[in-house]
Amino acid sequence: MAPIKACIFDLDGVIVNTSNYHYLAWKRLTNELGFDITEADNEQLRGVSRMECLRIILSIGGVSVSADQLYDLAEKKNNWYLEYVQKMDEHEILPGAAEFIQAARESGLKVAIASASKNAGIILRRVKLDTVYDALVDGNTVNRSKPNPDIFLRSARELNVDPENCIVFEDAISGIQAAHNAGMRSIGIGSDIMLKNAHMVVPSLGVMSLEDLYSLENFA
Ligand SMILES: O=P(O)(O)OC[C@H]1O[C@@H](O)[C@H](O)[C@@H](O)[C@@H]1O
Ligand SMILES: [Mg+2]
């Protein structure tokens, strides 16, 4: 039984719902390229880095482009995505997320945000959550995407907490796997069918209590 000393939160899908903005921006790009993606396709993109998303999307459309074009397309999508992000405010924080993070900190736990997004800092500022964490590790700091554990191991190092004392909150299957690869326990945010490998699954942080969190101390 390892005591819980830190919470590591994914951002997109756990604290804010930016998934739809990613979807709209990718859809705009694919439409320009002459094909379309569905919401089901978008599910595959959760937790996946920008360039990897682009590769997945181009393979859905059966489109191949040069390496230079790849970067231009990614930049184009990102500029559209940022148009949506610039309009975000604290009303877009998912129910209960800010309150849960605050309660965790008040109970003495350290808090990190670990996101594959290179825009994590901008989003946290937009929703006024840029002072609620002890460490931010994002797509600018870590290259290898989840399920690689780098992002969570780096978060633990920055918090000065051992991996076995960290709990990860994730909405992506690859994120749950990354947490386990890092030797951490996990809480899935979303569907318990999809996130069945997590140690616990809740539909949102709004229904999560500190008692629920500490009940995970019994999982080694
Ligand atoms: O393009 P960005 O903002 O760097 O985001 C990279 C990834 O960030 C993750 O948080 C999202 O779940 C992915 O869908 C996204 O592709
Ligand atoms: Mg996510």
Side-chain angles (χ1 to χ4, degrees):
M1 181 178 133
I4 296 167
K5 298 183 183 169
C7 293
I8 305 178
F9 296 91
D10 172 48
L11 179 62
D12 293 329
V14 171
I15 297 177
V16 287
N17 196 2
T18 43
S19 167
N20 196 43
Y21 298 144
H22 281 295
Y23 178 51
L24 292 174
W26 284 127
K27 211 173 168 59
R28 203 163 153 186
L29 189 75
T30 58
N31 290 351
E32 215 181 73
L33 292 169
F35 65 100
D36 204 8
I37 52 165
T38 63
E39 284 189 37
D41 294 329
N42 192 49
E43 284 303 306
Q44 288 183 55
L45 309 177
R46 280 183 193 269
V48 177
S49 73
R50 191 182 310 163
M51 293 312 287
E52 191 51 34
C53 286
L54 180 56
R55 284 189 200 98
I56 293 171
I57 282 166
L58 292 178
S59 82
I60 291 170
V63 173
S64 53
V65 298
S66 69
D68 281 354
Q69 280 174 302
L70 213 57
Y71 281 97
D72 290 347
L73 292 175
E75 195 184 336
K76 201 173 211 183
K77 178 266 173 178
N78 192 51
N79 288 337
W80 285 327
Y81 175 66
L82 284 175
E83 284 175 16
Y84 300 119
V85 167
Q86 296 302 348
K87 292 184 193 138
M88 287 178 79
D89 63 22
E90 60 272 38
H91 295 103
E92 295 198 49
I93 299 172
L94 287 169
E99 294 80 358
F100 184 83
I101 293 172
Q102 193 186 344
R105 293 193 94 195
E106 282 170 4
S107 88
L109 298 170
K110 291 200 178 159
V111 166
I113 312 284
S115 169
S117 173
K118 294 188 172 182
N119 298 306
I122 301 175
I123 295 167
L124 286 162
R125 278 195 295 281
R126 290 298 322 161
V127 301
K128 301 191 172 59
L129 285 180
D130 51 334
T131 57
V132 303
Y133 51 83
D134 304 293
L136 167 64
V137 181
D138 64 15
N140 299 298
T141 340
V142 165
N143 281 326
R144 293 193 289 182
S145 285
K146 303 163 187 175
N148 183 284
D150 284 2
I151 197 160
F152 295 136
L153 292 173
R154 172 75 182 248
S155 301
R157 258 205 322 279
E158 292 204 9
L159 294 177
N160 206 15
V161 172
D162 289 335
E164 60 168 12
N165 299 117
C166 296
I167 294 268
V168 170
F169 294 78
E170 258 292 347
D171 69 314
I173 299 168
S174 62
I176 298 291
Q177 190 54 52
H180 298 174
N181 290 343
M184 299 177 182
R185 283 159 287 181
S186 64
I187 297 181
I189 307 293
S191 142
D192 53 358
I193 298 167
M194 212 171 81
L195 302 172
K196 59 180 186 304
N197 291 334
H199 291 94
M200 177 188 283
V201 180
V202 288
S204 81
L205 284 173
V207 296
M208 177 90 202
S209 67
L210 285 181
E211 287 72 33
D212 294 333
L213 178 70
Y214 285 113
S215 73
L216 282 189
E217 290 202 318
N218 299 320
F219 287 89

